[in-house]
Amino acid sequence: MTSQPRQPVSPSSPLPLSVEQNPDYKTLLESTKAIPWKIDWATMQFAYIGPQIEPLLGWTAESWVSAQDWAARIHEEDRERVVNFCIGQSKQGVDHEADYRALTADGRYVWIRDVVHVLRNEAGETEALVGFMFDISERKKTEEALVALQRRLEEYSFKDGLTGVANRRMFDTVLAREWSQAQRSQQALSLILLDIDFFKQYNDHYGHVQGDECLKQVATALAGAAVRPRDFLARFGGEEFVFVLPETDETGARMIAERCRTLVQQQQIVHARSTVGPFLTISLGVGTVVPEQAERAVDFVARVDQWLYRAKQGGRDRIASGEG
C-alpha cells in the first residue's frame, strides 16, 4: 500500500471545473476505464463521479454523495492512513496518489489507486479535488506474487538444499544475534555440535545417494529434539549439525543432546561399517557460556568443537561437555 505526494501545481488547472458544462469532455471521461470524480472542498460533496464506478464496485454513481461515502468504502485497515494522508495533502494544495482496498457492494474488496489533483483559487486556497480512480487489482496480485517469490528465495538462501534445515550462513547470522543478546542479558547460551559417526565409511559402503538419504533422515530426527521457539538447528557442514540454545544452561543442553542421540538411535539406520554397533550413531560436544563483552562467538564454537573431538576420541556414540 502506498501513499505519496506529487509536485505542487499552480492554482490554475486545465481541467474544467464542471464536467456537466462540457458534454464532449464528459463523454471522453466516461469512455475510459479510469473513474473520474470531483469533490467540492467547502462542502465535501461529490460534484461528479463517473458511471464506471458501478461496474467496478457495484455502488451506483448516485450513492457517492459525500467524502464520507468514499471513506466508509475503504477497507478498515487502510482507512485511517489513506484519509489522513489525503486530507493533509489536500489542505496543503499538493497533488497526491493513494493505494487502498475499496469495498464493493457485495462485500468484496478491489485494489484502487486514487490520483488526486488539487484545484486552488487565485489566493492559493484549496477549492476542489478532481481525480481518477484506477483498478490496480491485477497489478497488486503481481506485486504480491513477486514479494512472495522473493521471500521464498530468501528462505532458500538460508536453507540447506539437501536436508531442509538451516544452512551454515543462517547459523552464523543466528549465533551472532544470540551471542549479542546473551552478552546484554548475561544469560547462559549453549551450543551443541554433533557429528555422524563413521560417515565416510557409510558413504563408501552404501554410496553417496544413500548417504544423502541418511543425512536427510538424521536431520529430520534432530529437528524433533529442541522445541522452544528460539532453539535453532542447522547443518554445520558435511555430516555435522549444530544447535544454538539461548537461555539454556549446561544441564538443559545435555538433556537436549541426549535426546538427539536417542532420536537418531530410534531411526535404526543400518551401518555395517561402524565399529560402534549395527546402527548409525552420533557423537556430540556441548558447551555453555555466559559471554563477557570481550569474548568472541568464534572462540566459543572452537571450544565446543574440542568437546565434540573428545566425544569421538572417547569411543563415539556419546556426549562430552564443558562450561565455557
Side-chain angles (χ1 to χ4, degrees), residues 67-286:
Q68 183 58 41
D69 296 312
W70 165 74
R73 291 164 183 173
I74 296 177
H75 194 292
E76 60 182 9
E77 294 177 4
D78 303 339
R79 186 178 301 133
E80 183 177 0
R81 170 187 59 82
V82 171
V83 171
N84 289 343
F85 172 78
C86 289
I87 289 176
Q89 295 298 306
S90 299
K91 282 181 178 178
Q92 296 177 43
V94 178
D95 289 3
H96 53 279
E97 298 177 0
D99 293 357
Y100 56 88
R101 290 163 289 180
L103 176 68
T104 65
D106 59 3
R108 296 176 296 106
Y109 284 96
V110 172
W111 273 102
I112 294 291
R113 171 163 294 169
D114 242 331
V115 179
V116 184
H117 174 65
V118 182
L119 296 176
R120 292 179 289 166
N121 58 26
E122 293 182 356
E125 300 167 335
T126 299
E127 191 172 70
L129 308 177
V130 296
F132 289 92
M133 293 182 186
F134 297 89
D135 177 5
I136 60 168
S137 298
E138 289 304 316
R139 183 186 307 175
K140 280 292 180 181
K141 287 179 183 178
T142 301
E143 289 175 0
E144 289 167 1
L146 289 173
V147 169
L149 176 60
Q150 172 125 19
R151 286 176 181 163
R152 285 198 296 272
L153 290 174
E154 288 174 354
E155 289 175 1
Y156 292 151
S157 71
F158 288 110
K159 277 188 178 181
D160 176 58
L162 176 64
T163 63
V165 300
N167 60 16
R168 177 63 182 270
R169 177 184 176 191
M170 188 63 176
F171 163 73
D172 292 339
T173 300
V174 170
L175 179 62
R177 183 186 68 216
E178 295 296 355
W179 186 262
S180 296
Q181 177 61 31
Q183 286 177 321
R184 290 192 299 270
S185 67
Q186 285 297 283
Q187 295 285 327
L189 175 67
S190 290
L191 201 70
I192 301 173
L193 268 174
L194 63 95
D195 182 89
I196 298 175
D197 296 327
F198 301 111
F199 188 70
K200 180 181 183 302
Q201 290 82 346
Y202 186 96
N203 262 339
D204 291 344
H205 183 67
Y206 296 103
H208 289 281
V209 173
Q210 186 59 36
D212 287 349
E213 290 302 314
C214 172
L215 287 170
K216 293 177 187 177
Q217 197 169 348
V218 169
T220 300
L222 294 174
V227 296
R228 298 181 310 169
R230 285 170 64 193
D231 293 342
F232 174 81
L233 167 66
R235 186 180 178 190
F236 194 67
E239 66 271 25
E240 288 187 322
F241 294 84
V242 60
F243 278 93
V244 180
L245 305 171
E247 298 180 14
T248 304
D249 60 16
E250 184 181 354
T251 300
R254 282 191 64 95
M255 289 177 60
I256 293 174
E258 184 60 44
R259 194 180 307 154
C260 290
R261 200 170 70 89
T262 300
L263 287 169
V264 172
Q265 285 178 342
Q266 289 173 350
Q267 299 301 307
Q268 294 194 326
I269 302 170
V270 176
H271 190 347
R273 294 299 177 89
S274 173
T275 62
V276 177
F279 301 112
L280 183 134
T281 58
I282 58 174
S283 298
L284 307 96
V286 178

